[in-house]
Every structure is written in structure tokens, then in C-alpha cells.
């Protein structure tokens, strides 16, 4: 989400600023921040120290803090002893040019008003991703699920959906510019609703832009992953067969405490519904270890659910108490740090095994992959992803004219020959 928001920021400022890859030569640095865990915030404070040191050497350079931390900490940031010129919340980006004028005249610029209708829907983002193959499209903002542990509803405000026509237009424009894949983004895309249309209907419209435009989405909440959406994913070949479905915990008692609005049985039923209709679907999740009051038995339930689902991938975190949330006000953060860490490590270890198991099943199979770039380790190897969102690395030999056999942005078929827990290693079969 923040990456997509940075593209909106770049667009709002494009008349005044170009972007640069080298922050040491920047006139303005905007740090787009995340408040989801304390660790994310600490990293931002470290970066800010670096930037404010640079500021002393580069007269006139401005530093702004934008996004969720700006929203959460507000004026506190300007009194923090760090040399920050601007503090701008996620719904106030249109006000940036004006705030920058205030900064030019020697004041601090601050705007942390949340909005009930801002979606930036008319703003064509400046694409900061370099591969020109895959792009994000933000389809909604905010969240009002109020999971007990989560700060997002406080920093990003009420849920609101962007008009479908503007989303389909953006996808069409990207396709005409040569993009081959779009990812529709929101905190909870399945509750997308605009002009009478739901998320399944929106997906169908975006998938109809062109059969060679891949469509992905992130992220969905298990409580409203509908059969209709599963059916839509199944029926369009260009909607990728990958669902990210954050479970958070495998224990129904923890899920109730987390205010997730589903239990273990409901979640497993949704997984069964996906597998029944889309047997080859990639399934990934988010897990929190050590939430308030979590017992060893609750933790074992998480491990057993992970085995039962057989996730292809997972993002795994230690619980981090966030000020202002329901959990912070009502439950003690009572799992000792070393217990959280041990449980997290067990979860990570298990996921490594599950990922390897899942990847081993793919050895010998052919996949259509969209080539996304050159491998970091070896420039004779390229990589792309299959529909299930797995990364496939393959040799891409030079031809006699000096060109590589396939180019970034091509659809190719690769046969998987071996794997690691993180990657499939394949061989080019032919050019699709
Ligand atoms: N502590 C740890 N992890 C969290 N997440 C959200 N809030 C917290 C928190 N307070 C995780 C959830 C969510 C992902 C984006 O971040 O797993 O799905
Ligand atoms: Fe946070 Fe829950 Fe909303 Fe996800 S659905 S952003 S975890 S409150």
C-alpha cells in the first residue's frame, strides 16, 4: 500500500519535483511510514536520524514524514528533537504542494486530517517500479474491521472504495503502456463496494481489459471471501490462481480475542471452498505469534492449522502492542519476549518445511511465467512468477545477435527442474 501511495505522492508533486534513486542529492525526502509494528517505526526513526544528519550538510534540503506514523504521532513528531519539516497523514497528500509552500516560508507543515471519501481516484500514479511489467492499483482505502491488535483503522481511517470506472481505466492505460500485470490493492479487498458493484464484479471487469493482462489482488479477509469471488477467480484464466488469506491464529479462542469475526472451522471451510473450485490455487497467509494470553495449546493449534492448510508461503510476526488499539487497552501484553520468539521461530521453521514440500510438488511441471527481471545473483538468469505467485528462476542464454532468448515482460513456459523453499528453478521450454 505504501509503495502505491508513494506513486501517488510522486504524481502530486511531479510539477515541482523529479524522483531520484540517490537520496543524498535530494532536495526533498518524504519518508512513507508504517505503524503496524513497533519494529517498523523504530526503523523509520533510524532512517530519520540519517536524513537529519544529511540535512545539516545540505542546506535547503527538506525532510517530511508521511503515512501512518504521521497520522499516529502527529505534532509529537515535530517536538521529537528530529529535524522534520513536514508531517502529512495518508489522506492529506493533495495538500502537499501547499504545505511545501509553508515550509519554504519557514514554517512547519502539518496535515493529519483523515477523510471519509478521499481515494485519490483521479490521480494517475507516477510508476516508480522499474520493470514496467507489473503495477499496483489501489482500489480502496482505510479499514473498519478493528481487529483488536491492529492500528490500521486508526491511522488510515474509514473504509472507502474507489469508483470502478477509474480503476478499469487505470488498468487499461497500464495495459496500453505495455504492462502485463496489475495487482488490485486494499486492506480488505473483498469488502470493496462502489456504485452497486462488489469486488468479484470489479475483478471480472479488470480481467476483461485484455486476456493477456494478469490480475492479482491483496489482501482479503476470511470473513468475507465469498463463493462468488472464488468462482470469478476460477473462471478467468488471467486472474492469477493465488489467494492471500491472513489467518493470524489457528486457535478459535485467540481469533475471538483478536476480533477476527471467524473461527478455525470457518477459515478451514473457506480454504476447502477454494481448493474444491481451484485445486491448483496458491495459498498464503499472515500469522501473529504470542498475542495476549496465547497458551501453548493455542500455539499448537496454529501449527496444526498451518499443516492442515499446507500454505505455500506466509508472513509471520511476533505480536507487537500498538497504543490505542482494543488489545492495548483491554488485555495485558503478557507473553514474555523469549516465548514469543520461540513460537515465532517454530512457525517460521514449519513454514520453511511446508514451502519446500509445496515446491517439490511442482518439480517436473510446466508453468507459464511472466518474466519480471534479471536474477540478482547471476545476470544470465532471469526470473518471473507463475500464476500461483511462486518465483521461477531460469537460464536465459544469449543468442547469436547478442540478445537474450527471452525479454522482461514476455510470457514464457518453464519446466521446473528443482527447488528451494523460496524458489523454483526451471528451464525455458519455449516462448509462449
Ligand atoms: N503485531 C504483529 N503483527 C501485526 N499485524 C498487524 N498488526 C500487528 C501487530 N500489532 C500483522 C497481521 C496483518 C499484517 C499486515 O501485519 O498479520 O495481517
Ligand atoms: Fe488491521 Fe484487521 Fe483491518 Fe487487516 S482487517 S487492516 S488486520 S484491522
Amino acid at each position: 500500500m505504501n509503495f502505491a501511495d508513494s506513486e501517488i505522492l510522486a504524481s502530486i508533486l511531479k510539477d515541482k519535483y523529479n524522483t531520484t534513486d540517490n537520496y543524498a542529492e535530494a532536495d526533498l525526502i518524504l519518508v512513507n511510514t508504517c505503524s503496524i509494528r513497533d519494529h517498523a517505526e523504530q526503523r523509520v526513526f533510524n532512517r530519520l536520524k540519517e536524513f537529519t544528519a544529511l540535512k545539516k550538510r545540505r542546506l535547503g534540503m527538506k525532510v517530511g514524514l508521511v503515512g501512518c506514523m504521521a497520522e499516529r504521532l502527529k505534532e509529537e513528531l515535530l517536538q521529537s528533537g528530529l529535524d522534520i519539516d513536514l508531517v502529512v497523514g495518508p489522506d492529506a497528500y493533495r495538500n502537499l504542494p501547499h504545505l511545501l509552500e509553508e515550509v519554504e516560508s519557514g514554517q512547519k507543515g502539518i496535515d493529519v486530517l483523515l477523510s471519509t471519501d478521499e481515494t485519490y481516484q483521479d490521480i494517475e500514479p507516477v510508476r516508480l517500479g522499474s520493470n514496467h511489467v507489473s503495477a499496483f492499483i489501489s482500489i480502496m482505502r482505510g479499514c473498519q474491521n478493528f481487529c483488536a491488535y491492529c492500528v490500521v483503522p486508526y491511522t488510515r481511517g474509514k473504509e472507502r472504495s474507489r469508483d470502478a470506472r477509474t480503476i478499469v481505466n487505470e488498468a487499461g492505460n497500464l495495459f496500453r503502456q505495455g504492462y502485463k500485470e496489475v495487482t488490485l490493492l486494499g486492506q480488505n479487498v473483498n469488502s470493496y463496494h462502489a456504485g452497486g458493484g462488489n469486488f468479484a464484479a470489479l475483478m471480472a471487469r479488470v480481467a476483461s481489459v485484455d486476456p493477456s493482462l494478469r490480475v492479482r489482488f491483496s489482501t482479503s479477509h476470511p470473513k468475507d471471501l465469498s463463493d462468488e469471488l472464488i468462482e470469478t477467480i476460477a473462471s478467468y484464466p488471467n486472474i492469477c490462481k493465488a489467494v492471500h488469506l491472513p489467518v493470524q491464529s489457528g486457535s478459535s479462542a485467540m481469533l475471538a480475542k483478536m476480533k477476527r469475526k471467524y473461527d478455525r472451522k470457518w477459515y478451514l471451510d473457506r480454504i476447502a471452498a477454494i481448493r474444491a473450485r481451484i485445486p491448483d490455487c496458491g495459498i498464503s497467509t499472515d500469522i501473529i505469534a504470542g498475542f495476549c494470553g496465547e497458551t501453548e495449546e493455542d500455539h499448537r493449534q496454529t501449527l496444526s492449522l498451518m499443516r492442515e492448510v499446507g500454505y505455500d508461503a506466509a508472513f509471520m510476526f511476533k505480536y507487537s502492542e500498538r497504543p490505542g488499539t482494543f488489545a492495548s487497552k483491554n488485555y495485558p501484553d503478557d507473553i514474555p519476549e523469549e516465548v514469543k520468539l520461540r513460537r515465532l521461530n517454530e512457525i517460521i521453521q514449519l513454514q520453511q518445511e511446508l514451502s519446500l514440500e509445496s515446491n517439490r510438488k511442482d518439480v517436473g511441471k510446466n508453468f507459464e511465467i511472466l518474466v519480471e527481471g534479471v536474477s540478482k545473483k547471476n545476470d544470465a538468469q532471469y526470473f518471473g512468477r507463475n500464476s500461483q505467485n511462486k518465483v521461477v528462476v531460469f537460464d536465459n542464454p544469449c543468442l547469436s545477435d547478442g540478445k537474450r532468448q527471452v525479454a522482461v515482460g514476455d510470457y514464457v513456459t518453464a519446466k521446473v527442474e528443482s527447488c528451494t523453499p523460496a524458489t523454483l528453478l526451471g528451464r525455458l521450454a519455449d516462448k509462449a
Side-chain angles (χ1 to χ4, degrees):
M1 286 296 288
N2 270 1
F3 186 86
D5 274 8
S6 292
E7 296 187 324
I8 289 169
L9 283 160
S11 176
I12 289 171
L13 293 176
K14 71 176 183 292
D15 294 340
K16 262 188 108 177
Y17 292 92
N18 295 315
T19 55
T20 168
D21 290 331
N22 176 11
Y23 71 80
E25 66 174 28
D27 300 310
L28 170 67
I29 298 181
L30 296 177
V31 188
N32 197 352
T33 59
C34 171
S35 288
I36 201 120
R37 283 170 290 278
D38 184 58
H39 180 65
E41 293 199 346
Q42 295 313 321
R43 283 177 53 197
V44 169
F45 281 122
N46 288 337
R47 288 305 292 255
L48 282 175
K49 280 185 206 139
E50 212 178 299
F51 296 148
T52 45
L54 180 66
K55 228 176 145 199
K56 291 205 179 76
R57 285 178 273 132
R58 274 184 58 86
L59 282 186
M61 188 183 109
K62 308 286 180 225
V63 174
L65 195 125
V66 307
C68 288
M69 266 175 88
E71 194 61 51
R72 195 176 84 72
L73 297 168
K74 304 184 171 61
E75 285 86 0
E76 236 178 83
L77 286 163
L78 295 176
Q79 285 131 32
S80 62
L82 289 162
D83 188 5
I84 300 172
D85 303 287
L86 279 159
V87 173
V88 189
D91 286 346
Y93 296 154
R94 282 182 206 268
N95 198 15
L96 254 173
H98 169 71
L99 292 168
L100 278 163
E101 278 169 25
E102 284 183 3
V103 169
E104 290 300 332
S105 70
Q107 294 162 271
K108 301 277 183 190
I110 177 161
D111 189 344
V112 289
L113 277 184
L114 284 175
S115 150
T116 51
D117 57 6
E118 178 62 274
T119 59
Y120 301 109
Q121 63 181 4
D122 53 315
I123 292 177
E124 183 85 19
V126 168
R127 301 291 163 186
L128 301 173
S130 54
N131 71 3
H132 290 280
V133 174
S134 186
F136 292 119
I137 303 182
S138 176
I139 63 161
M140 61 198 298
R141 299 182 74 82
C143 179
Q144 53 208 56
N145 286 315
F146 289 95
C147 300
Y149 51 80
C150 186
V151 76
V152 168
Y154 306 92
T155 58
R156 292 210 158 236
K158 283 222 165 73
E159 180 185 294
R160 63 222 97 124
S161 295
R162 177 177 166 188
D163 178 53
R165 192 180 33 83
T166 68
I167 296 168
V168 177
N169 283 347
E170 192 172 325
N173 289 342
L174 286 163
F175 181 71
R176 281 185 291 280
Q177 288 162 33
Y179 283 82
K180 299 284 175 59
E181 178 179 270
V182 294
T183 302
L184 307 186
L185 287 181
Q187 308 294 345
N188 177 11
V189 288
N190 0 66
S191 61
Y192 174 89
H193 240 278
N198 65 9
F199 184 59
L202 176 71
M203 285 282 276
R205 283 180 68 181
V206 175
S208 303
V209 165
D210 193 280
S212 66
L213 181 71
R214 274 186 172 182
V215 185
R216 298 187 186 275
F217 64 98
S218 189
T219 188
S220 37
H221 194 301
K223 77 176 161 66
D224 33 30
L225 185 88
S226 66
D227 290 342
E228 184 193 5
L229 178 60
I230 296 173
E231 190 53 43
T232 307
I233 299 171
S235 17
Y236 286 81
N238 58 327
I239 298 184
C240 289
K241 307 301 177 245
V243 177
H244 184 66
L245 203 60
V247 67
Q248 315 299 0
S249 169
S251 150
S252 291
M254 280 295 107
L255 290 170
K257 246 184 129 170
M258 289 174 165
K259 296 184 173 290
R260 288 289 287 175
K261 306 185 184 89
Y262 58 86
D263 61 9
R264 178 183 174 105
K265 187 169 170 298
W266 169 276
Y267 185 89
L268 289 173
D269 171 74
R270 292 293 78 205
I271 297 290
I274 298 169
R275 295 241 196 265
R277 186 66 183 87
I278 317 169
D280 63 341
C281 196
I283 299 185
S284 56
T285 199
D286 293 349
I287 295 174
I288 299 176
F291 185 58
C292 313
E294 187 187 68
T295 63
E296 284 303 318
E297 175 53 26
D298 292 320
H299 171 58
R300 276 195 294 274
Q301 296 253 328
T302 296
L303 297 173
S304 86
L305 179 130
M306 289 171 71
R307 278 194 207 94
E308 206 166 325
V309 176
Y311 289 113
D312 300 292
F315 296 106
M316 299 153 285
F317 315 101
K318 269 186 303 181
Y319 171 59
S320 163
E321 186 176 83
R322 309 311 295 133
T325 57
F326 183 89
S328 77
K329 290 187 200 151
N330 293 282
Y331 315 138
D333 180 12
D334 54 359
I335 307 302
E337 188 56 26
E338 65 275 14
V339 176
K340 283 186 186 172
L341 192 60
R342 195 249 308 145
R343 289 180 187 168
L344 177 65
N345 284 334
E346 286 174 12
I347 289 168
I348 292 173
Q349 176 64 38
L350 174 59
Q351 187 51 49
Q352 285 277 99
E353 289 163 26
L354 294 175
S355 299
L356 184 60
E357 210 173 288
S358 156
N359 283 352
R360 280 199 180 129
K361 285 188 198 145
D362 289 338
V363 174
K365 289 187 194 162
N366 281 321
F367 287 108
E368 180 181 69
I369 60 178
L370 174 59
V371 183
E372 287 180 38
V374 183
S375 153
K376 280 197 192 101
K377 291 185 199 145
N378 176 348
D379 65 7
Q381 289 192 319
Y382 279 45
F383 71 93
R385 274 175 302 154
N386 67 7
S387 174
Q388 290 73 10
N389 210 20
K390 288 189 180 176
V391 174
V392 184
V393 176
F394 58 89
D395 285 338
N396 187 14
C398 267
L399 303 176
S400 52
D401 60 2
K403 284 196 184 139
R404 299 268 170 194
Q405 189 175 335
V406 301
V408 171
D410 285 350
Y411 282 107
V412 301
T413 303
K415 179 169 185 161
V416 177
E417 295 187 316
S418 63
C419 67
T420 69
T423 334
L424 301 176
L425 306 163
R427 184 171 48 81
L428 282 177
D430 56 51
K431 202 162 173 169

